[in-house]
Amino acid sequence: MTINLQTLKCGECGSGMLQRSGLNQYACAHCGSVSIVEDNVSDRLERVLEQVKDEAGRRLAVEQSARGRSAARSMGLAIAAVVVLVTGVFGVMAYVVDRNQPERASMAPRTIPSEGLRLEARQVLAGSGSSAQPWLLVTARNESGTAIERPKVKAIFYDRDSRIGEHSESVPIGTLMPGEMAPVLIQLPGDQPVTRYELQAGALSTPFWTTEGPPLQFTRVRLVQQADEVWLFGRLANARQDALALAIVEVLVTLYDDAGAVIGVGRGFSQAIELRPGERSAAEVRIERLGNRKVPIAAWDYRIDYSLTEGAQQAKKRVLTSSSRVVRTAGAPEIIRASQRLSSAELLADSGSEQAGKAR
């Protein structure tokens, strides 16, 4: 802080060579006269206060500017810290989700060449009596080396050179594993004669959400025949030790004659939509007989397609098995009296064989 001073001169000779000799007294070194200087203290104090106020205002402005710069730096640091924290939280969440999920969706191309599905067909009758209708029984075999998600087969029908229609059907199982075969029934056109047909595989792709797991089998299963109807009853159980539930449990059943030809196909689902660890459910599958119903059933098999989930809102991951999931049994179905009505619970009870014996 500076204070403006007024230059003093001798009142007698005008010399500026004055020396202070007392309170408000100055002696001239040139002529020796003494001058008394009037001091207006209030004016001088007011000037000093004005200068102090100006200095205080200047310092306040400097401090405010410095605080603003400091606050800006602090805000920038806070924003950076929040960004780092949020990034870390999402990173941890992603890591936890990845650990909890058996496997994430594959980012590799999911398209499979149509040549990966080998198709063969023959005409069969489906239904009984006068209601029997001709169908095309297509055998779809997965030769792609990877799992295919419910492939679709299209049949184009011709009467000589005239195209008379086309029908498409999906393989009756969620996933066709490498090397597996599955039958597909495609209805022929109504009353028009079919002299030839062409088979085409639809767009093939791998399942999107997948995980590896063991094949799922029934803990108890029975193939029964009642009059002309054939049914498979199976008991399912979730014996997993983790928190994952079984979901979208789908069953495909196939019947064979003694030559190995397909003479029956059936598809069904578990009664429970979801099976948590420790829970049980049942599946009932009605099987459609093909061709001559009097041809004996020499063997049958089933396979189960299923997914894993941690809840209804979680992604369901299709289970891909490294070993064969087709369970084959040689022999004919159990015969049950036509008038007997048994539920799946009775058929799958531990004493079910005794009840079936009484029912015959």
Side-chain angles (χ1 to χ4, degrees):
M1 181 180 64
T2 58
I3 300 177
N4 295 328
L5 298 178
Q6 184 177 1
T7 302
L8 300 178
K9 293 183 179 181
C10 177
E12 294 294 333
C13 66
S15 173
M17 301 177 60
L18 300 178
Q19 294 181 350
R20 188 172 183 176
S21 59
L23 181 62
N24 296 337
Q25 293 183 359
Y26 293 86
C28 180
H30 184 262
C31 66
S33 61
V34 176
S35 300
I36 298 176
V37 179
E38 294 183 357
D39 185 14
N40 191 336
V41 177
S42 61
D43 291 341
R44 187 154 52 91
L45 181 59
E46 184 176 355
R47 288 195 302 272
V48 171
L49 291 178
E50 287 293 335
Q51 294 179 18
V52 169
K53 183 174 67 174
D54 292 342
E55 178 66 15
R58 187 186 67 80
R59 287 191 176 183
L60 181 60
V62 172
E63 291 176 359
Q64 287 178 345
S65 177
R67 283 198 297 270
R69 291 193 298 272
S70 177
R73 287 196 299 270
S74 299
M75 181 64 70
L77 292 175
I79 293 174
V82 170
V83 170
V84 172
L85 179 60
V86 171
T87 303
V89 169
F90 277 102
V92 172
M93 290 177 64
Y95 174 74
V96 171
V97 170
D98 283 346
R99 291 195 61 186
N100 289 337
Q101 297 290 351
E103 189 174 324
R104 68 176 61 194
S106 173
M107 299 306 293
R110 299 174 57 223
T111 302
I112 300 174
S114 59
E115 294 78 9
L117 193 66
R118 181 180 176 184
L119 305 174
E120 296 179 354
R122 61 184 174 93
Q123 290 191 32
V124 297
L125 287 177
S128 59
S130 59
S131 62
Q133 297 291 328
W135 290 69
L136 195 63
L137 176 62
V138 181
T139 299
R141 185 180 299 275
N142 182 0
E143 297 182 348
S144 69
T146 185
I148 303 178
E149 183 174 23
R150 202 181 295 278
K152 180 174 289 189
V153 179
K154 180 170 71 173
I156 305 174
F157 301 102
Y158 295 87
D159 180 8
R160 296 181 176 84
D161 295 332
S162 299
R163 181 168 176 166
I164 59 176
E166 63 181 55
H167 288 141
S168 297
E169 290 292 342
S170 297
V171 170
I173 193 72
T175 308
L176 195 62
M177 298 298 294
E180 280 189 352
M181 177 277 295
V184 184
L185 283 173
I186 300 179
Q187 189 173 16
L188 274 72
D191 298 330
Q192 295 175 290
V194 176
T195 58
R196 63 185 179 94
Y197 53 83
E198 294 178 1
L199 299 177
Q200 296 179 0
L204 305 180
S205 63
T206 60
F208 190 69
W209 293 101
T210 63
T211 185
E212 294 182 358
L216 183 62
Q217 298 183 7
F218 290 119
T219 58
R220 180 170 172 79
V221 61
R222 298 180 66 183
L223 184 72
V224 299
Q225 182 171 346
Q226 193 172 48
D228 289 335
E229 292 190 351
V230 181
W231 289 78
L232 179 138
F233 296 87
R235 178 195 297 161
L236 293 163
N238 186 349
R240 297 183 65 90
Q241 301 300 316
D242 51 26
L244 297 178
L246 308 183
I248 318 179
V249 180
E250 187 176 9
V251 184
L252 175 62
V253 184
T254 309
L255 307 180
Y256 305 90
D257 62 14
D258 56 2
V262 175
I263 58 174
V265 179
R267 173 195 179 202
F269 297 87
S270 65
Q271 294 176 347
I273 299 177
E274 184 178 279
L275 272 77
R276 298 182 179 88
E279 293 182 343
R280 300 195 311 179
S281 182
E284 301 178 2
V285 182
R286 182 184 179 278
I287 303 165
E288 181 69 38
R289 286 294 306 267
L290 305 175
N292 188 353
R293 290 173 175 260
K294 294 183 179 180
V295 174
I297 299 171
W300 53 278
D301 64 33
Y302 75 85
R303 77 197 72 173
I304 301 177
D305 193 88
Y306 71 104
S307 299
L308 293 176
T309 181
E310 288 191 2
Q313 303 302 320
Q314 300 296 323
K316 296 176 176 59
K317 293 182 176 287
R318 190 73 55 82
V319 176
L320 305 182
T321 60
S322 57
S323 57
S324 176
R325 58 180 180 172
V326 179
V327 180
R328 191 178 180 94
T329 302
E334 305 174 43
I335 304 300
I336 295 181
R337 192 172 57 198
S339 60
Q340 189 71 29
R341 292 293 181 265
L342 295 178
S343 66
S344 59
E346 292 173 321
L347 284 170
L348 297 174
D350 293 337
S351 60
S353 60
E354 298 178 1
Q355 294 184 15
K358 297 177 181 179
R360 295 188 183 127

Coordinates of all heavy atoms in Angstrom, one line a residue, residues 39-83:
D39 N -1.8 19.9 10.1 CA -2.1 18.5 9.8 C -3.6 18.2 10.0 O -4.0 18.2 11.1 CB -1.3 17.6 10.7 CG -1.4 16.1 10.3 OD1 -1.9 15.8 9.2 OD2 -1.0 15.2 11.1
N40 N -4.3 18.0 8.8 CA -5.7 17.7 8.9 C -5.8 16.1 9.0 O -5.8 15.4 8.0 CB -6.4 18.2 7.6 CG -8.0 18.0 7.8 OD1 -8.4 17.2 8.6 ND2 -8.7 18.8 7.0
V41 N -5.9 15.7 10.2 CA -5.8 14.3 10.5 C -7.0 13.5 9.8 O -6.8 12.4 9.3 CB -5.8 14.0 12.0 CG1 -5.8 12.5 12.3 CG2 -4.6 14.7 12.6
S42 N -8.2 14.1 9.9 CA -9.3 13.4 9.4 C -9.2 13.2 7.9 O -9.6 12.2 7.3 CB -10.6 14.2 9.7 OG -10.6 15.5 9.1
D43 N -8.7 14.3 7.2 CA -8.5 14.2 5.7 C -7.5 13.1 5.4 O -7.7 12.3 4.5 CB -8.1 15.5 5.1 CG -9.2 16.6 5.2 OD1 -10.4 16.1 5.3 OD2 -8.9 17.7 5.0
R44 N -6.4 13.2 6.2 CA -5.3 12.2 5.9 C -5.8 10.8 6.2 O -5.5 9.8 5.5 CB -4.1 12.5 6.7 CG -2.9 11.6 6.4 CD -1.6 12.4 6.8 NE -1.6 12.9 8.2 CZ -1.2 12.2 9.2 NH1 -0.7 11.0 9.0 NH2 -1.2 12.7 10.4
L45 N -6.6 10.6 7.3 CA -7.1 9.3 7.6 C -8.1 8.8 6.6 O -8.1 7.6 6.2 CB -7.8 9.4 9.0 CG -8.4 8.0 9.5 CD1 -7.4 7.0 9.6 CD2 -9.1 8.3 10.9
E46 N -8.9 9.7 6.0 CA -9.9 9.3 5.0 C -9.2 8.9 3.8 O -9.6 7.9 3.1 CB -10.8 10.5 4.7 CG -11.9 10.2 3.7 CD -12.8 11.4 3.4 OE1 -12.6 12.4 4.1 OE2 -13.7 11.2 2.5
R47 N -8.0 9.6 3.4 CA -7.3 9.2 2.3 C -6.7 7.8 2.5 O -6.7 6.9 1.6 CB -6.2 10.2 1.9 CG -6.7 11.5 1.4 CD -5.6 12.3 0.7 NE -4.5 12.6 1.7 CZ -4.5 13.7 2.4 NH1 -5.5 14.5 2.4 NH2 -3.5 13.9 3.2
V48 N -6.2 7.6 3.7 CA -5.6 6.3 4.0 C -6.6 5.2 4.0 O -6.4 4.1 3.4 CB -4.9 6.3 5.4 CG1 -4.5 4.9 5.9 CG2 -3.7 7.2 5.4
L49 N -7.8 5.5 4.5 CA -8.9 4.4 4.5 C -9.3 4.1 3.1 O -9.6 3.0 2.7 CB -10.1 4.9 5.3 CG -9.9 5.0 6.8 CD1 -11.1 5.5 7.5 CD2 -9.5 3.6 7.4
E50 N -9.4 5.2 2.2 CA -9.7 4.9 0.8 C -8.7 4.0 0.1 O -9.0 3.1 -0.6 CB -9.8 6.3 0.1 CG -11.1 7.1 0.4 CD -12.3 6.4 -0.1 OE1 -12.3 5.6 -1.1 OE2 -13.4 6.7 0.5
Q51 N -7.4 4.3 0.4 CA -6.4 3.5 -0.2 C -6.4 2.1 0.4 O -6.2 1.1 -0.3 CB -5.0 4.1 0.1 CG -4.8 5.5 -0.6 CD -3.4 6.1 -0.3 OE1 -2.5 5.4 0.1 NE2 -3.3 7.4 -0.6
V52 N -6.7 2.0 1.7 CA -6.8 0.6 2.3 C -8.0 -0.1 1.6 O -7.9 -1.3 1.3 CB -7.0 0.7 3.8 CG1 -7.4 -0.6 4.4 CG2 -5.8 1.2 4.5
K53 N -9.1 0.6 1.5 CA -10.3 0.0 0.9 C -10.0 -0.5 -0.6 O -10.4 -1.6 -1.0 CB -11.5 0.9 0.9 CG -12.8 0.3 0.3 CD -13.9 1.3 0.5 CE -13.8 2.5 -0.4 NZ -14.9 3.4 -0.3
D54 N -9.3 0.4 -1.3 CA -9.0 0.0 -2.7 C -8.1 -1.2 -2.7 O -8.2 -2.1 -3.5 CB -8.3 1.2 -3.4 CG -9.2 2.4 -3.6 OD1 -10.5 2.1 -3.6 OD2 -8.8 3.5 -3.9
E55 N -7.1 -1.2 -1.8 CA -6.2 -2.3 -1.7 C -6.9 -3.6 -1.3 O -6.6 -4.7 -1.9 CB -5.0 -2.0 -0.7 CG -4.0 -3.2 -0.5 CD -3.2 -3.5 -1.8 OE1 -3.2 -2.6 -2.7 OE2 -2.6 -4.5 -1.8
A56 N -7.8 -3.5 -0.3 CA -8.6 -4.6 0.1 C -9.4 -5.2 -1.1 O -9.6 -6.4 -1.3 CB -9.5 -4.3 1.3
G57 N -10.1 -4.3 -1.9 CA -10.8 -4.7 -3.0 C -10.0 -5.4 -4.0 O -10.4 -6.4 -4.6
R58 N -8.8 -4.9 -4.3 CA -7.9 -5.5 -5.2 C -7.5 -6.9 -4.8 O -7.5 -7.9 -5.5 CB -6.6 -4.7 -5.4 CG -5.7 -5.2 -6.5 CD -4.4 -4.4 -6.5 NE -3.6 -4.6 -5.3 CZ -2.9 -5.7 -5.2 NH1 -2.8 -6.6 -6.1 NH2 -2.2 -5.8 -4.0
R59 N -7.1 -7.0 -3.5 CA -6.8 -8.3 -2.9 C -7.9 -9.3 -3.0 O -7.8 -10.5 -3.3 CB -6.3 -8.2 -1.5 CG -4.9 -7.5 -1.4 CD -4.3 -7.6 0.0 NE -3.0 -7.1 0.1 CZ -2.2 -7.1 1.2 NH1 -2.7 -7.7 2.3 NH2 -1.0 -6.6 1.2
L60 N -9.2 -8.8 -2.7 CA -10.3 -9.7 -2.7 C -10.6 -10.2 -4.1 O -10.9 -11.4 -4.3 CB -11.6 -8.9 -2.2 CG -12.9 -9.7 -2.2 CD1 -12.8 -10.9 -1.3 CD2 -14.0 -8.8 -1.7
A61 N -10.4 -9.3 -5.1 CA -10.6 -9.7 -6.5 C -9.6 -10.8 -6.9 O -9.9 -11.8 -7.5 CB -10.5 -8.5 -7.4
V62 N -8.3 -10.6 -6.4 CA -7.2 -11.6 -6.7 C -7.6 -12.9 -6.1 O -7.4 -14.0 -6.7 CB -5.9 -11.0 -6.2 CG1 -4.8 -12.1 -6.4 CG2 -5.5 -9.8 -7.1
E63 N -8.0 -12.8 -4.8 CA -8.3 -14.1 -4.1 C -9.5 -14.8 -4.7 O -9.5 -16.0 -4.8 CB -8.6 -13.8 -2.6 CG -7.4 -13.3 -1.8 CD -7.7 -12.9 -0.4 OE1 -8.9 -13.0 -0.1 OE2 -6.8 -12.6 0.4
Q64 N -10.5 -14.0 -5.1 CA -11.7 -14.7 -5.8 C -11.3 -15.3 -7.1 O -11.8 -16.4 -7.4 CB -12.8 -13.6 -6.0 CG -13.5 -13.2 -4.7 CD -14.6 -12.1 -5.0 OE1 -14.6 -11.5 -6.1 NE2 -15.4 -11.9 -4.0
S65 N -10.4 -14.6 -7.8 CA -10.0 -15.2 -9.1 C -9.2 -16.5 -8.8 O -9.4 -17.5 -9.5 CB -9.1 -14.2 -9.8 OG -8.6 -14.8 -11.0
A66 N -8.3 -16.5 -7.7 CA -7.6 -17.7 -7.4 C -8.5 -18.8 -7.0 O -8.3 -20.0 -7.3 CB -6.5 -17.3 -6.3
R67 N -9.5 -18.4 -6.2 CA -10.5 -19.5 -5.7 C -11.2 -20.1 -6.9 O -11.5 -21.2 -6.9 CB -11.4 -18.9 -4.7 CG -10.8 -18.7 -3.3 CD -11.9 -18.6 -2.3 NE -12.7 -17.4 -2.5 CZ -12.4 -16.2 -1.9 NH1 -11.4 -16.1 -1.1 NH2 -13.2 -15.2 -2.2
G68 N -11.6 -19.2 -7.9 CA -12.3 -19.7 -9.0 C -11.4 -20.7 -9.8 O -11.9 -21.7 -10.3
R69 N -10.2 -20.3 -10.0 CA -9.3 -21.3 -10.7 C -9.1 -22.6 -9.9 O -9.1 -23.7 -10.5 CB -7.9 -20.6 -11.0 CG -8.0 -19.5 -12.0 CD -6.6 -19.1 -12.4 NE -5.7 -18.6 -11.3 CZ -5.7 -17.3 -10.9 NH1 -6.4 -16.4 -11.6 NH2 -5.0 -17.0 -9.9
S70 N -9.0 -22.4 -8.6 CA -8.9 -23.6 -7.7 C -10.1 -24.5 -7.8 O -10.1 -25.7 -7.9 CB -8.6 -23.2 -6.3 OG -8.5 -24.3 -5.5
A71 N -11.3 -23.8 -7.8 CA -12.6 -24.6 -7.8 C -12.7 -25.3 -9.2 O -13.2 -26.4 -9.3 CB -13.8 -23.6 -7.6
A72 N -12.3 -24.6 -10.3 CA -12.3 -25.2 -11.6 C -11.4 -26.5 -11.6 O -11.8 -27.5 -12.1 CB -11.9 -24.2 -12.7
R73 N -10.2 -26.3 -11.0 CA -9.3 -27.5 -11.0 C -9.9 -28.6 -10.1 O -9.9 -29.7 -10.5 CB -7.9 -27.0 -10.4 CG -7.1 -26.2 -11.4 CD -5.7 -26.2 -10.9 NE -5.5 -25.6 -9.6 CZ -5.3 -24.3 -9.4 NH1 -5.3 -23.4 -10.4 NH2 -5.2 -23.8 -8.2
S74 N -10.5 -28.2 -9.0 CA -11.2 -29.2 -8.1 C -12.3 -29.9 -8.8 O -12.5 -31.1 -8.7 CB -11.7 -28.6 -6.8 OG -10.6 -28.0 -6.1
M75 N -13.1 -29.1 -9.6 CA -14.3 -29.7 -10.3 C -13.8 -30.6 -11.4 O -14.3 -31.7 -11.6 CB -15.1 -28.6 -10.9 CG -16.3 -29.1 -11.7 SD -17.5 -29.9 -10.6 CE -18.1 -28.5 -9.7
G76 N -12.7 -30.2 -12.1 CA -12.1 -31.1 -13.1 C -11.6 -32.4 -12.5 O -11.8 -33.5 -13.0
L77 N -10.9 -32.3 -11.3 CA -10.5 -33.5 -10.6 C -11.6 -34.3 -10.2 O -11.6 -35.6 -10.3 CB -9.6 -33.1 -9.4 CG -8.2 -32.4 -9.8 CD1 -7.5 -32.0 -8.5 CD2 -7.4 -33.4 -10.6
A78 N -12.7 -33.7 -9.7 CA -13.9 -34.5 -9.2 C -14.5 -35.2 -10.4 O -14.9 -36.4 -10.2 CB -14.9 -33.5 -8.5
I79 N -14.7 -34.5 -11.5 CA -15.3 -35.2 -12.7 C -14.4 -36.3 -13.1 O -15.0 -37.4 -13.4 CB -15.5 -34.1 -13.8 CG1 -16.5 -33.1 -13.4 CG2 -15.9 -34.8 -15.1 CD1 -16.7 -32.0 -14.4
A80 N -13.1 -36.1 -13.1 CA -12.3 -37.2 -13.5 C -12.4 -38.4 -12.6 O -12.4 -39.6 -13.0 CB -10.8 -36.7 -13.6
A81 N -12.5 -38.1 -11.3 CA -12.6 -39.1 -10.3 C -13.9 -39.9 -10.5 O -13.9 -41.1 -10.4 CB -12.5 -38.5 -8.9
V82 N -15.0 -39.1 -10.8 CA -16.3 -39.8 -11.0 C -16.2 -40.7 -12.2 O -16.7 -41.8 -12.2 CB -17.4 -38.8 -11.1 CG1 -18.7 -39.4 -11.6 CG2 -17.6 -38.0 -9.8
V83 N -15.6 -40.2 -13.3 CA -15.5 -41.0 -14.5 C -14.7 -42.3 -14.2 O -15.1 -43.4 -14.6 CB -14.8 -40.2 -15.6 CG1 -14.5 -41.1 -16.8 CG2 -15.7 -39.1 -16.1

